[in-house]
Each structure stands twice: as C-alpha cells, then as structure tokens.
Amino acid sequence: MNSPHEELRVIISGGGTGGHIFPAVSIANAVRALRPDAKILFVGAEGRMEMQRVPAAGYEIKGLPICGFDRKNLLKNVKVLYKIWKSQCMARQIIKDFHPQVAVGVGGYASGPTLNKAASMGIPCLIQEQNSYAGVTNKLLAKKARKICVAYEGMERFFPADKILLTGNPVRQALLDSNATREEALHTFGLSPAKKTVLLVGGSLGARTINESVIQHLKEIEASGLQFIWQTGKYYSQSISQQLQEKGQPKNLIVTDFINDMAAAYKAADLVISRAGASSISEFCLIGKPVILVPSPNVAEDHQTKNAMALVRRNAALFVSDANAPQQLISLAIETVKNENQLSTLHENILKMALPDSAAIIAKEVIALAENAS
C-alpha cells in the first residue's frame, strides 16, 4: 500500500479532439490541486491536436504513432496494424520508464495501447467516457478498467454496472470562473445590451452545415432585429469572407474565425447554436444556456445525435438535423430567441442536467486508485 505522502505518478492518455483534451487537462489540473506533488505524464497520438494543446496547458506529453482503421480501404490497414503494434511497444516502454501508480484514459486512439499495456502490467486503470454512446476504445478497455466515469445515465448498456460512477464531464474552468456581466460581454463584441443575441459555433474546426445555414439566410438575419455572433472556424473563414463580400454582410452579424474568450461569448448569448459534442453539452448544462443542437453526422456511431436526444427528451434543448439545418435552423433560432417562455424553460431544464465538480470527483477516484495500488 502506498503512503499518501509518497510521490503520486499518473499517466493520462487519449485525445484527437478538443472534446477529449479539455476533460483530460481538467482532470490533471484537479489532481494537481489535491496533490501538488503529483507527477503527471500525458500520452497522445502523433500529429493530433493534443501534441500542441497539452504542452500549452503546462504538461509533458509523449506521442504514439497510432491511428484509426481505414474502413474504406482495407489494404491500408496493414500499416495501421503495424502502427498499433509499435504503439503498444512504445507504451510499454513509457510505462516502464515513468512507473505510474494509476493510468487514466479519456478516449481517442492513444488511450487504447496505453491503458491495455498499463492493465497488463498490473497498474489500476480509470476510463472517462464523455458521450451518451460509448466509444469503441472505451468499450474494449472497460473489462480491464477498475473505474468507469460517465456523464450520462443508462451506461450499463455498455459497461459493467459495478464499475460505473456518474460524474459528468469536466469542462473548461474559465467558463465557470467568469465574473463578466452580460453587458460587459456584449461590449467586448461591440454589441448592444438592448437586443437579443444568437451565438453560432461549430466546434474548434467549424461546421460546414451551420455556416451554410447562415450564408443562405443573410436577409432573414438582417431583418430579424437580433444580433448574431458567428464563429466560422479557421478552415472555412477565407471562403466565407469572399461570399460575404459578394452578398453583403449584415451589420448585425459579427463574424470571426475563432473565439478566444468563450466565457464572454456564452455570457453575451441568449441562445446558442452548436454541434452536439459531449464537452460542449456539458458546458451548456453547467451554465444553463438555451441551445439548438445540430449533431455532426461525421462521427463514430452517430454519437452526437444520441447526446442531443438525451437533452431533447427532457425538453432541455432543441434539435435540428444536419440535413434540415440549411432550410430550418435560422428561422427556428429567430423564433426561439424571441420567445421568453421557451428560453426560460430551456434554461431551467438544461440546468437540471448539470453535474458540477466533475474534475474534482474524478481526481479523487484517480488518487484513491493510486493509493490502494499494491
């Protein structure tokens, strides 16, 4: 049994998208808050977002050459199998060198080989599943994990019930710590406190369908009497600038490729339009923000639609399918944001789904596993 005062060593693995990286960093920060002496090492996938984001958050990261299976071209998977084998070997060496007492997986390619190896070497493992529909990697790792932290009820469909802990998803702390008023937040965007505001975000890379919905309805936006903040995503910003030059940009439409201060953007907004990633949904629940969800169809097992429906069933969010968004999204947003009763119902119902203090609860489980490791 490790003494609580012995140095704590934790490996955290996973990534691929902001939705995996934000929770991973939040868990690391929460472990550090409880145990400032903790040594924390991240393991990610080479060439993916975590290789920049994790060092920017102040943590060391090692990269594995892992990637996903190519479902369209099966011959390419010979290379994938080699990369998995190589990643397993590298993960084993990383674990031997670092001597962790506990390993945490947050989903994404790299968590597979890392947690597999950790479990086979007798290191207790905890996995965190952000979505309402479990990912392939986590389903495979569940048998070996000691604890499985989830954000939605009903996850016994995927995991052994005795290992499940309903913790919610850790979110970006800055969103919860913001003391700015709605007026101050609107002022940072040069907007009027007298008008209702709609925020459109498509995730860190942008969302083509949400962008198309705006471009096709510029006249309705202009005539709405509302204000719009539109994050296009860097990938789409150049083509959108050109289209706005040709068609004319409404004065009540603020356009940016990326919003650095999401806390201010959320505070300014009366209604948000967003993809249905698990991290985003957890943020909307905690801040009680009315939202129209447009799930991305380009994700494994259509899990964003399942995330969205968990809220829609409780009248805690509105839903527009990706296919219908170009026709329906903007008119629904204009109608919704002008309906005070509906906004307040959505606000109250989504707040009820919030699970606060997720990162701290998970961190305590991580530390307990490490301290009980023989």
Side-chain angles (χ1 to χ4, degrees):
M1 188 97 152
N2 293 324
S3 110
H5 302 295
E6 195 179 315
E7 188 177 69
L8 177 66
R9 305 180 75 81
V10 183
I11 270 188
I12 301 179
S13 186
T17 65
H20 290 310
I21 299 161
F22 295 138
V25 169
S26 296
I27 293 166
N29 292 341
V31 168
R32 278 258 168 97
L34 292 166
R35 290 286 299 272
D37 64 313
K39 296 278 183 289
I40 299 172
L41 177 66
F42 280 75
V43 181
E46 285 172 2
R48 301 300 295 249
M49 202 191 281
E50 58 266 27
M51 300 310 290
Q52 280 77 47
R53 292 282 178 90
V54 168
Y59 294 97
E60 187 189 349
I61 187 166
K62 305 261 188 209
L64 302 179
I66 186 93
C67 59
F69 278 102
D70 190 322
R71 290 172 192 177
K72 294 191 180 84
N73 186 339
L74 295 177
L75 283 175
K76 285 190 180 166
N77 289 326
V78 174
K79 198 190 250 180
V80 175
L81 288 169
Y82 170 71
K83 285 183 170 183
I84 290 172
W85 173 80
K86 193 174 175 202
S87 295
Q88 298 264 18
C89 297
M90 286 172 71
R92 182 179 174 77
Q93 195 55 51
I94 290 167
I95 292 163
K96 278 176 79 170
D97 293 344
F98 185 69
H99 300 297
Q101 295 139 332
V102 61
V104 179
V106 294
Y109 301 137
S111 62
T114 310
L115 268 76
N116 260 322
K117 279 294 160 205
S120 71
M121 293 161 80
I123 294 156
C125 296
L126 175 147
I127 58 178
Q128 198 252 332
E129 175 55 65
Q130 292 103 27
N131 291 294
S132 63
Y133 192 92
V136 176
T137 305
N138 276 348
K139 278 194 276 194
L140 294 171
L141 290 171
K143 297 176 190 67
K144 299 174 179 183
R146 303 264 182 99
K147 273 276 188 284
I148 302 168
C149 296
V150 301
Y152 290 90
E153 287 163 1
M155 298 302 283
E156 301 80 14
R157 291 176 297 156
F158 307 106
F159 302 131
D162 58 335
K163 295 181 179 182
I164 293 177
L165 196 64
L166 182 65
T167 58
N169 282 325
V171 303
R172 294 174 278 187
Q173 198 55 42
L175 295 180
L176 307 178
D177 294 344
S178 168
N179 294 319
T181 64
R182 176 176 177 269
E183 283 72 18
E184 287 165 346
L186 285 162
H187 185 67
T188 63
F189 291 96
L191 294 172
S192 157
K195 291 181 177 173
K196 292 277 192 211
T197 305
V198 178
L199 169 67
L200 301 111
V201 283
S204 47
L205 301 172
R208 190 174 68 206
T209 308
I210 292 177
N211 292 345
E212 278 298 310
S213 306
V214 177
I215 286 290
Q216 289 182 30
H217 295 275
L218 293 171
K219 285 196 167 61
E220 288 90 326
I221 285 170
E222 192 162 26
S224 66
L226 306 170
Q227 309 174 121
F228 291 77
I229 304 168
W230 178 22
Q231 178 185 283
T232 61
K234 287 190 164 62
Y235 183 76
Y236 299 103
S237 72
Q238 207 171 350
S239 77
I240 282 166
S241 296
Q242 283 175 320
Q243 290 180 74
L244 287 172
Q245 272 173 346
E246 289 161 20
K247 294 170 187 278
Q249 181 176 332
K251 288 195 169 60
N252 59 338
L253 178 63
I254 304 288
V255 186
T256 176
D257 63 345
F258 186 74
I259 296 170
N260 284 314
D261 188 353
M262 278 314 290
Y266 285 157
K267 193 66 69 94
D270 296 283
L271 176 72
V272 179
I273 293 170
S274 170
R275 288 302 200 192
S279 284
S280 300
I281 286 181
S282 295
E283 291 174 354
F284 302 140
C285 292
L286 283 162
I287 59 176
K289 194 55 64 176
V291 61
I292 301 175
L293 297 169
V294 186
S296 169
N298 314 314
V299 292
E301 287 128 345
D302 197 22
H303 67 243
Q304 285 205 3
T305 297
K306 297 175 175 94
N307 291 347
M309 295 321 286
L311 273 71
V312 172
R313 279 195 295 274
R314 297 189 183 194
N315 198 13
L318 301 178
F319 164 85
V320 175
S321 73
D322 192 77
N324 292 335
Q327 290 76 40
Q328 298 172 5
L329 184 59
I330 296 301
S331 57
L332 178 64
I334 292 169
E335 185 189 315
T336 304
V337 83
K338 290 180 176 178
N339 183 335
E340 280 297 343
N341 287 342
Q342 190 173 21
L343 283 183
S344 98
T345 301
L346 289 169
H347 163 71
E348 284 162 23
N349 289 344
I350 200 168
L351 260 185
K352 286 176 196 161
M353 296 189 71
L355 292 162
D357 304 322
S358 303
I361 295 164
I362 295 167
K364 283 175 187 158
E365 291 296 324
V366 170
I367 293 165
L369 282 179
E371 289 176 351
N372 292 329
S374 50

